[in-house]
PDB file of all heavy atoms in Angstrom:
ATOM      1  N   ASP A 296     -22.519  -0.202  16.243  1.00  0.00           N
ATOM      2  CA  ASP A 296     -22.662  -1.328  15.324  1.00  0.00           C
ATOM      3  C   ASP A 296     -21.563  -1.310  14.266  1.00  0.00           C
ATOM      4  O   ASP A 296     -21.009  -0.250  13.950  1.00  0.00           O
ATOM      5  CB  ASP A 296     -24.012  -1.249  14.607  1.00  0.00           C
ATOM      6  CG  ASP A 296     -25.161  -1.595  15.533  1.00  0.00           C
ATOM      7  OD1 ASP A 296     -24.895  -2.138  16.622  1.00  0.00           O
ATOM      8  OD2 ASP A 296     -26.319  -1.297  15.163  1.00  0.00           O
ATOM      9  N   THR A 297     -21.310  -2.453  13.683  1.00  0.00           N
ATOM     10  CA  THR A 297     -20.351  -2.559  12.585  1.00  0.00           C
ATOM     11  C   THR A 297     -20.794  -1.665  11.420  1.00  0.00           C
ATOM     12  O   THR A 297     -21.963  -1.699  11.011  1.00  0.00           O
ATOM     13  CB  THR A 297     -20.263  -4.031  12.119  1.00  0.00           C
ATOM     14  OG1 THR A 297     -19.813  -4.798  13.238  1.00  0.00           O
ATOM     15  CG2 THR A 297     -19.320  -4.199  10.945  1.00  0.00           C
ATOM     16  N   GLY A 298     -19.886  -0.836  10.928  1.00  0.00           N
ATOM     17  CA  GLY A 298     -20.186   0.029   9.776  1.00  0.00           C
ATOM     18  C   GLY A 298     -21.121   1.181  10.097  1.00  0.00           C
ATOM     19  O   GLY A 298     -21.665   1.820   9.190  1.00  0.00           O
ATOM     20  N   ALA A 299     -21.318   1.503  11.392  1.00  0.00           N
ATOM     21  CA  ALA A 299     -22.323   2.508  11.778  1.00  0.00           C
ATOM     22  C   ALA A 299     -21.819   3.948  11.635  1.00  0.00           C
ATOM     23  O   ALA A 299     -22.615   4.878  11.613  1.00  0.00           O
ATOM     24  CB  ALA A 299     -22.752   2.270  13.227  1.00  0.00           C
ATOM     25  N   LEU A 300     -20.498   4.134  11.544  1.00  0.00           N
ATOM     26  CA  LEU A 300     -19.956   5.500  11.604  1.00  0.00           C
ATOM     27  C   LEU A 300     -19.358   5.934  10.264  1.00  0.00           C
ATOM     28  O   LEU A 300     -18.830   5.122   9.504  1.00  0.00           O
ATOM     29  CB  LEU A 300     -18.878   5.589  12.686  1.00  0.00           C
ATOM     30  CG  LEU A 300     -19.312   5.173  14.099  1.00  0.00           C
ATOM     31  CD1 LEU A 300     -18.137   5.236  15.061  1.00  0.00           C
ATOM     32  CD2 LEU A 300     -20.456   6.041  14.599  1.00  0.00           C
ATOM     33  N   ASP A 301     -19.426   7.263  10.023  1.00  0.00           N
ATOM     34  CA  ASP A 301     -18.887   7.832   8.786  1.00  0.00           C
ATOM     35  C   ASP A 301     -17.470   8.353   8.972  1.00  0.00           C
ATOM     36  O   ASP A 301     -16.732   8.491   8.005  1.00  0.00           O
ATOM     37  CB  ASP A 301     -19.791   8.983   8.324  1.00  0.00           C
ATOM     38  CG  ASP A 301     -21.188   8.483   8.056  1.00  0.00           C
ATOM     39  OD1 ASP A 301     -21.401   7.862   7.007  1.00  0.00           O
ATOM     40  OD2 ASP A 301     -22.066   8.662   8.942  1.00  0.00           O
ATOM     41  N   MET A 302     -17.118   8.693  10.216  1.00  0.00           N
ATOM     42  CA  MET A 302     -15.778   9.237  10.458  1.00  0.00           C
ATOM     43  C   MET A 302     -15.365   8.921  11.892  1.00  0.00           C
ATOM     44  O   MET A 302     -16.193   8.969  12.806  1.00  0.00           O
ATOM     45  CB  MET A 302     -15.815  10.763  10.254  1.00  0.00           C
ATOM     46  CG  MET A 302     -14.506  11.453  10.530  1.00  0.00           C
ATOM     47  SD  MET A 302     -14.623  13.246  10.160  1.00  0.00           S
ATOM     48  CE  MET A 302     -13.012  13.787  10.683  1.00  0.00           C
ATOM     49  N   VAL A 303     -14.086   8.576  12.058  1.00  0.00           N
ATOM     50  CA  VAL A 303     -13.500   8.441  13.400  1.00  0.00           C
ATOM     51  C   VAL A 303     -12.295   9.378  13.455  1.00  0.00           C
ATOM     52  O   VAL A 303     -11.446   9.354  12.556  1.00  0.00           O
ATOM     53  CB  VAL A 303     -13.064   6.989  13.697  1.00  0.00           C
ATOM     54  CG1 VAL A 303     -12.341   6.925  15.041  1.00  0.00           C
ATOM     55  CG2 VAL A 303     -14.270   6.056  13.700  1.00  0.00           C
ATOM     56  N   HIS A 304     -12.258  10.203  14.497  1.00  0.00           N
ATOM     57  CA  HIS A 304     -11.189  11.191  14.658  1.00  0.00           C
ATOM     58  C   HIS A 304     -10.427  10.880  15.931  1.00  0.00           C
ATOM     59  O   HIS A 304     -11.037  10.575  16.966  1.00  0.00           O
ATOM     60  CB  HIS A 304     -11.834  12.590  14.740  1.00  0.00           C
ATOM     61  CG  HIS A 304     -10.870  13.700  15.004  1.00  0.00           C
ATOM     62  ND1 HIS A 304     -10.705  14.264  16.249  1.00  0.00           N
ATOM     63  CD2 HIS A 304     -10.031  14.361  14.177  1.00  0.00           C
ATOM     64  CE1 HIS A 304      -9.802  15.237  16.166  1.00  0.00           C
ATOM     65  NE2 HIS A 304      -9.379  15.315  14.924  1.00  0.00           N
ATOM     66  N   ALA A 305      -9.100  10.933  15.863  1.00  0.00           N
ATOM     67  CA  ALA A 305      -8.286  10.633  17.049  1.00  0.00           C
ATOM     68  C   ALA A 305      -7.147  11.636  17.100  1.00  0.00           C
ATOM     69  O   ALA A 305      -6.244  11.605  16.259  1.00  0.00           O
ATOM     70  CB  ALA A 305      -7.736   9.212  16.953  1.00  0.00           C
ATOM     71  N   ARG A 306      -7.188  12.529  18.089  1.00  0.00           N
ATOM     72  CA  ARG A 306      -6.140  13.548  18.185  1.00  0.00           C
ATOM     73  C   ARG A 306      -5.444  13.465  19.544  1.00  0.00           C
ATOM     74  O   ARG A 306      -6.111  13.425  20.581  1.00  0.00           O
ATOM     75  CB  ARG A 306      -6.757  14.942  17.994  1.00  0.00           C
ATOM     76  CG  ARG A 306      -5.695  16.039  17.885  1.00  0.00           C
ATOM     77  CD  ARG A 306      -6.312  17.365  17.552  1.00  0.00           C
ATOM     78  NE  ARG A 306      -7.120  17.884  18.632  1.00  0.00           N
ATOM     79  CZ  ARG A 306      -7.877  18.979  18.542  1.00  0.00           C
ATOM     80  NH1 ARG A 306      -7.960  19.626  17.396  1.00  0.00           N
ATOM     81  NH2 ARG A 306      -8.571  19.402  19.580  1.00  0.00           N
ATOM     82  N   SER A 307      -4.135  13.432  19.506  1.00  0.00           N
ATOM     83  CA  SER A 307      -3.318  13.410  20.727  1.00  0.00           C
ATOM     84  C   SER A 307      -3.735  12.291  21.675  1.00  0.00           C
ATOM     85  O   SER A 307      -3.982  12.523  22.859  1.00  0.00           O
ATOM     86  CB  SER A 307      -3.404  14.767  21.456  1.00  0.00           C
ATOM     87  OG  SER A 307      -2.913  15.788  20.643  1.00  0.00           O
ATOM     88  N   ILE A 308      -3.817  11.093  21.147  1.00  0.00           N
ATOM     89  CA  ILE A 308      -4.194   9.959  22.006  1.00  0.00           C
ATOM     90  C   ILE A 308      -3.054   8.952  22.170  1.00  0.00           C
ATOM     91  O   ILE A 308      -3.262   7.895  22.757  1.00  0.00           O
ATOM     92  CB  ILE A 308      -5.456   9.225  21.502  1.00  0.00           C
ATOM     93  CG1 ILE A 308      -5.223   8.609  20.126  1.00  0.00           C
ATOM     94  CG2 ILE A 308      -6.665  10.139  21.508  1.00  0.00           C
ATOM     95  CD1 ILE A 308      -6.167   7.443  19.849  1.00  0.00           C
ATOM     96  N   THR A 309      -1.853   9.246  21.637  1.00  0.00           N
ATOM     97  CA  THR A 309      -0.804   8.209  21.707  1.00  0.00           C
ATOM     98  C   THR A 309      -0.331   7.968  23.133  1.00  0.00           C
ATOM     99  O   THR A 309       0.302   6.946  23.395  1.00  0.00           O
ATOM    100  CB  THR A 309       0.403   8.543  20.810  1.00  0.00           C
ATOM    101  OG1 THR A 309       0.912   9.826  21.183  1.00  0.00           O
ATOM    102  CG2 THR A 309       0.034   8.526  19.350  1.00  0.00           C
ATOM    103  N   MET A 310      -0.631   8.888  24.056  1.00  0.00           N
ATOM    104  CA  MET A 310      -0.275   8.610  25.454  1.00  0.00           C
ATOM    105  C   MET A 310      -1.399   7.859  26.172  1.00  0.00           C
ATOM    106  O   MET A 310      -1.265   7.499  27.339  1.00  0.00           O
ATOM    107  CB  MET A 310       0.055   9.903  26.202  1.00  0.00           C
ATOM    108  CG  MET A 310       1.482  10.352  25.932  1.00  0.00           C
ATOM    109  SD  MET A 310       2.052  11.586  27.092  1.00  0.00           S
ATOM    110  CE  MET A 310       1.168  13.021  26.563  1.00  0.00           C
ATOM    111  N   ALA A 311      -2.520   7.648  25.468  1.00  0.00           N
ATOM    112  CA  ALA A 311      -3.663   6.979  26.105  1.00  0.00           C
ATOM    113  C   ALA A 311      -3.607   5.470  25.936  1.00  0.00           C
ATOM    114  O   ALA A 311      -4.298   4.745  26.645  1.00  0.00           O
ATOM    115  CB  ALA A 311      -4.973   7.512  25.513  1.00  0.00           C
ATOM    116  N   ILE A 312      -2.816   4.990  24.985  1.00  0.00           N
ATOM    117  CA  ILE A 312      -2.809   3.550  24.706  1.00  0.00           C
ATOM    118  C   ILE A 312      -1.393   3.058  24.467  1.00  0.00           C
ATOM    119  O   ILE A 312      -0.552   3.774  23.948  1.00  0.00           O
ATOM    120  CB  ILE A 312      -3.656   3.201  23.458  1.00  0.00           C
ATOM    121  CG1 ILE A 312      -3.487   4.297  22.409  1.00  0.00           C
ATOM    122  CG2 ILE A 312      -5.095   2.957  23.799  1.00  0.00           C
ATOM    123  CD1 ILE A 312      -4.070   3.899  21.113  1.00  0.00           C
ATOM    124  N   ARG A 313      -1.193   1.783  24.822  1.00  0.00           N
ATOM    125  CA  ARG A 313       0.151   1.230  24.646  1.00  0.00           C
ATOM    126  C   ARG A 313       0.335   0.649  23.250  1.00  0.00           C
ATOM    127  O   ARG A 313       1.445   0.615  22.741  1.00  0.00           O
ATOM    128  CB  ARG A 313       0.397   0.142  25.687  1.00  0.00           C
ATOM    129  CG  ARG A 313       0.395   0.688  27.110  1.00  0.00           C
ATOM    130  CD  ARG A 313       0.869  -0.354  28.110  1.00  0.00           C
ATOM    131  NE  ARG A 313       0.971   0.242  29.424  1.00  0.00           N
ATOM    132  CZ  ARG A 313       0.001   0.180  30.350  1.00  0.00           C
ATOM    133  NH1 ARG A 313      -1.128  -0.450  30.074  1.00  0.00           N
ATOM    134  NH2 ARG A 313       0.159   0.754  31.517  1.00  0.00           N
ATOM    135  N   ASP A 314      -0.741   0.158  22.651  1.00  0.00           N
ATOM    136  CA  ASP A 314      -0.621  -0.519  21.361  1.00  0.00           C
ATOM    137  C   ASP A 314      -1.581   0.111  20.360  1.00  0.00           C
ATOM    138  O   ASP A 314      -2.737  -0.292  20.245  1.00  0.00           O
ATOM    139  CB  ASP A 314      -0.925  -2.014  21.560  1.00  0.00           C
ATOM    140  CG  ASP A 314      -0.696  -2.809  20.291  1.00  0.00           C
ATOM    141  OD1 ASP A 314      -0.369  -2.207  19.245  1.00  0.00           O
ATOM    142  OD2 ASP A 314      -0.851  -4.046  20.348  1.00  0.00           O
ATOM    143  N   TYR A 315      -1.092   1.122  19.636  1.00  0.00           N
ATOM    144  CA  TYR A 315      -1.963   1.853  18.701  1.00  0.00           C
ATOM    145  C   TYR A 315      -2.479   0.918  17.593  1.00  0.00           C
ATOM    146  O   TYR A 315      -3.631   1.011  17.180  1.00  0.00           O
ATOM    147  CB  TYR A 315      -1.181   3.017  18.074  1.00  0.00           C
ATOM    148  CG  TYR A 315      -2.050   4.107  17.504  1.00  0.00           C
ATOM    149  CD1 TYR A 315      -2.313   5.260  18.223  1.00  0.00           C
ATOM    150  CD2 TYR A 315      -2.616   3.984  16.238  1.00  0.00           C
ATOM    151  CE1 TYR A 315      -3.108   6.265  17.710  1.00  0.00           C
ATOM    152  CE2 TYR A 315      -3.421   4.986  15.709  1.00  0.00           C
ATOM    153  CZ  TYR A 315      -3.660   6.132  16.453  1.00  0.00           C
ATOM    154  OH  TYR A 315      -4.459   7.122  15.937  1.00  0.00           O
ATOM    155  N   GLY A 316      -1.599   0.008  17.145  1.00  0.00           N
ATOM    156  CA  GLY A 316      -1.983  -0.902  16.064  1.00  0.00           C
ATOM    157  C   GLY A 316      -3.178  -1.749  16.445  1.00  0.00           C
ATOM    158  O   GLY A 316      -4.024  -2.073  15.596  1.00  0.00           O
ATOM    159  N   ALA A 317      -3.293  -2.096  17.739  1.00  0.00           N
ATOM    160  CA  ALA A 317      -4.392  -2.953  18.191  1.00  0.00           C
ATOM    161  C   ALA A 317      -5.731  -2.215  18.163  1.00  0.00           C
ATOM    162  O   ALA A 317      -6.796  -2.849  18.196  1.00  0.00           O
ATOM    163  CB  ALA A 317      -4.108  -3.459  19.599  1.00  0.00           C
ATOM    164  N   LEU A 318      -5.671  -0.880  18.122  1.00  0.00           N
ATOM    165  CA  LEU A 318      -6.902  -0.082  18.094  1.00  0.00           C
ATOM    166  C   LEU A 318      -7.526  -0.069  16.686  1.00  0.00           C
ATOM    167  O   LEU A 318      -8.741   0.096  16.529  1.00  0.00           O
ATOM    168  CB  LEU A 318      -6.514   1.346  18.501  1.00  0.00           C
ATOM    169  CG  LEU A 318      -7.548   2.422  18.677  1.00  0.00           C
ATOM    170  CD1 LEU A 318      -8.487   2.053  19.809  1.00  0.00           C
ATOM    171  CD2 LEU A 318      -6.850   3.755  18.985  1.00  0.00           C
ATOM    172  N   LEU A 319      -6.677  -0.254  15.664  1.00  0.00           N
ATOM    173  CA  LEU A 319      -7.137  -0.025  14.294  1.00  0.00           C
ATOM    174  C   LEU A 319      -8.231  -0.995  13.820  1.00  0.00           C
ATOM    175  O   LEU A 319      -9.175  -0.558  13.152  1.00  0.00           O
ATOM    176  CB  LEU A 319      -5.943  -0.024  13.329  1.00  0.00           C
ATOM    177  CG  LEU A 319      -4.948   1.125  13.584  1.00  0.00           C
ATOM    178  CD1 LEU A 319      -3.789   1.056  12.599  1.00  0.00           C
ATOM    179  CD2 LEU A 319      -5.647   2.488  13.491  1.00  0.00           C
TER     180      LEU A 319
END
Side-chain angles (χ1 to χ4, degrees):
D296 287 346
T297 299
L300 304 177
D301 299 283
M302 178 177 176
V303 174
H304 176 259
R306 188 174 68 187
S307 299
I308 63 157
T309 56
M310 278 195 287
I312 37 170
R313 296 190 175 95
D314 185 356
Y315 201 98
L318 184 63
L319 296 180

